[in-house]
């Protein structure tokens, strides 16, 4: 691998397409040796951000750099950054090995590297098969092999799990963890947190082009609050219980009343509610707790529960598939 440090830094990055502000003063860092999930609903600005990072779209303001350099200033970019921003395009009559052999001279690597990356993604036995007969999962693996031709320090993958079956997702998860364990920087975008939460170390969450959260996955998990559902035939007693728990014994607890005789309390332990009910003499027919899942928290952070949806993210002028841009300049 290259000796560059592999840090990715997005610094006050903005992009406007006419009246649409697709990315709005966005800043975050991605560290080597970790898998970072770049998360947000569809239209949040993820792909536009990645295109600016890879020199496919010019920012309106701000910078995006890899190891302190803009992508367009890296002499042999395919040896530093491997990227796949959309479904890779393959000639259906060409074999997997021949697909890579066409790209190898542009990247600046020998034919032997083609067999190395096919082995890395588990396609050695299919190297001579025509890509037109490949399953979606095999095409995804070949796309990853393409990004690895230059043995890059940094991997940038946009929605790599799209369309994969559970077996394919499990393979992808293990493969990305392996790449990070080698010290590479792995940035993976997704609009579904649950799709990547078993894979990533860190999360960067954006909505409507702006940063809403950036931390380790463990720190994000600590923000999830426990909820307790309590039901009672004594509605007056239940109201007194809620007031006691939310306003007295457990300050700061949030309360909702979804139906008569039922209350849902957030940020409180079931044991505390049970003890308060016993002390107040309130008969309970239900007392159940559950953790707020990370996906629920993700939806809250991005405003997806209440929002009607952000406008579609524009492609903007002058964009093209990343594989073309990376390989075109790889031999420079």
């Amino acid at each position: 691998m290259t000796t560059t440090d592999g840090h990715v830094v997005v610094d006050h990055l903005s992009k406007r397409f006419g009246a649409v502000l697709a990315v709005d003063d966005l800043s975050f860092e991605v560290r080597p040796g970790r898998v970072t999930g770049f998360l947000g609903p569809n239209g949040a600005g993820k792909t536009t951000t990645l295109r600016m990072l890879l020199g496919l779209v010019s920012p309106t303001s701000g910078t995006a750099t890899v190891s302190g350099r803009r992508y367009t200033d890296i002499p042999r970019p395919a040896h530093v950054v491997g990227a796949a921003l959309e479904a890779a395009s393959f000639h259906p009559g060409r074999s997997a090995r021949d697909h890579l052999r066409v790209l190898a001279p542009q990247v600046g690597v020998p034919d032997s590297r083609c067999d190395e990356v096919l082995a890395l993604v588990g396609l050695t036995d299919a190297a001579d098969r025509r890509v037109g007969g490949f399953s979606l999962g095999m095409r995804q693996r070949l796309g990853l092999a393409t990004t690895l031709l230059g043995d890059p320090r940094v991997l940038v993958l946009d929605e790599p799990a799209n369309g994969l079956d559970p077996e394919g997702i499990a393979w992808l998860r293990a493969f990305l963890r392996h790449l990070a364990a080698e010290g590479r920087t792995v940035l993976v975008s997704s609009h579904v947190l649950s799709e990547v939460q078993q894979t990533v170390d860190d999360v960067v969450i954006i909505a409507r082009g702006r940063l809403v959260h950036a931390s380790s996955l463990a720190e994000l998990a600590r923000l999830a609050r426990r909820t307790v559902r309590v039901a009672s035939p004594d509605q007056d007693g239940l109201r007194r219980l809620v007031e006691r728990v939310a306003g007295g014994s457990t300050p700061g607890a949030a309360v909702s009343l979804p139906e008569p005789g039922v209350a849902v309390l957030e940020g409180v332990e079931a044991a505390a509610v049970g003890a308060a009910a016993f002390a107040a003499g309130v008969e309970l027919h239900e007392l159940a707790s559950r953790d707020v899942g990370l996906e629920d928290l993700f939806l809250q952070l991005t405003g997806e529960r209440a929002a009607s949806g952000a406008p579609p993210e524009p492609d903007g002028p002058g964009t093209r598939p990343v594989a073309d841009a990376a390989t075109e300049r790889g031999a420079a």
Side-chain angles (χ1 to χ4, degrees):
M1 292 189 293
T2 63
T3 57
T4 52
D5 64 15
H7 275 84
V8 173
V9 178
V10 172
D11 186 23
H12 296 287
L13 195 64
S14 295
K15 180 61 183 179
R16 183 178 291 278
F17 295 103
V20 177
L21 185 59
V23 178
D24 184 7
D25 196 32
L26 184 62
S27 296
F28 63 88
E29 295 187 20
V30 183
R31 293 178 289 167
R34 301 176 72 82
V35 180
T36 298
F38 187 37
L39 306 169
N42 288 326
K46 301 186 303 295
T47 299
T48 296
T49 300
L50 297 182
R51 285 174 171 163
M52 287 190 283
L53 174 65
L54 296 165
L56 300 177
V57 172
S58 297
T60 301
S61 61
T63 60
T65 59
V66 178
S67 301
R69 289 183 171 189
R70 294 181 304 171
Y71 184 88
T72 52
D73 294 332
I74 300 172
R76 303 176 73 194
H79 291 262
V80 178
V81 182
L85 287 200
E86 49 195 47
S89 177
F90 307 107
H91 191 294
R94 190 174 287 160
S95 71
R97 180 182 285 114
D98 285 344
H99 167 76
L100 296 174
R101 281 175 172 170
V102 168
L103 299 175
Q106 302 174 57
V107 174
V109 296
D111 281 356
S112 60
R113 178 61 181 166
C114 300
D115 288 322
E116 290 175 7
V117 294
L118 286 171
L120 282 174
V121 300
L123 286 180
T124 297
D125 291 342
D128 295 319
R129 286 178 52 187
R130 292 184 179 182
V131 179
F134 276 16
S135 66
L136 176 59
M138 294 172 72
R139 287 171 177 264
Q140 292 280 51
R141 292 187 188 217
L142 183 55
L144 284 169
T146 304
T147 69
L148 291 168
L149 271 175
D151 198 18
R153 177 81 173 184
V154 179
L155 277 297
V156 178
L157 308 175
D158 192 17
E159 306 273 2
N162 266 359
L164 292 184
D165 60 17
E167 181 181 358
I169 291 174
W171 175 85
L172 178 66
R173 180 182 302 132
F175 188 64
L176 296 181
R177 297 298 325 161
H178 169 74
L179 294 174
E182 291 183 332
R184 303 181 201 251
T185 304
V186 183
L187 179 61
V188 182
S189 78
S190 177
H191 64 281
V192 183
L193 174 58
S194 58
E195 187 177 76
V196 298
Q197 74 179 70
Q198 296 185 55
T199 305
V200 303
D201 302 295
D202 302 318
V203 291
V204 174
I205 302 174
I206 67 172
R208 298 170 186 83
R210 295 188 64 87
L211 180 71
V212 295
H213 182 84
S215 74
S216 68
L217 184 66
E219 289 170 341
L220 178 66
R222 284 196 287 270
L223 294 178
R225 304 182 76 190
R226 177 162 296 173
T227 62
V228 176
R229 178 183 169 94
V230 57
S232 173
D234 181 359
Q235 294 193 44
D236 290 337
L238 180 62
R239 185 170 56 253
R240 294 194 308 271
L241 171 63
V242 166
E243 292 172 352
R244 180 187 184 97
V245 172
S249 61
T250 311
V255 180
S256 61
L257 303 169
E259 58 188 272
V262 175
V264 176
L265 298 95
E266 181 180 320
V268 63
E269 297 289 335
V273 178
F278 178 80
V282 179
E283 178 184 350
L284 298 184
H285 285 187
E286 181 182 355
L287 179 62
S289 66
R290 75 176 183 91
D291 291 329
V292 176
L294 285 175
E295 193 67 29
D296 291 331
L297 181 58
F298 170 70
L299 294 174
Q300 292 171 14
L301 287 169
T302 57
E304 283 294 281
R305 288 201 185 283
S308 58
E313 183 179 333
D315 289 338
T319 61
R320 53 185 170 157
V322 171
D324 294 346
T327 55
E328 183 177 309
R329 298 185 58 247

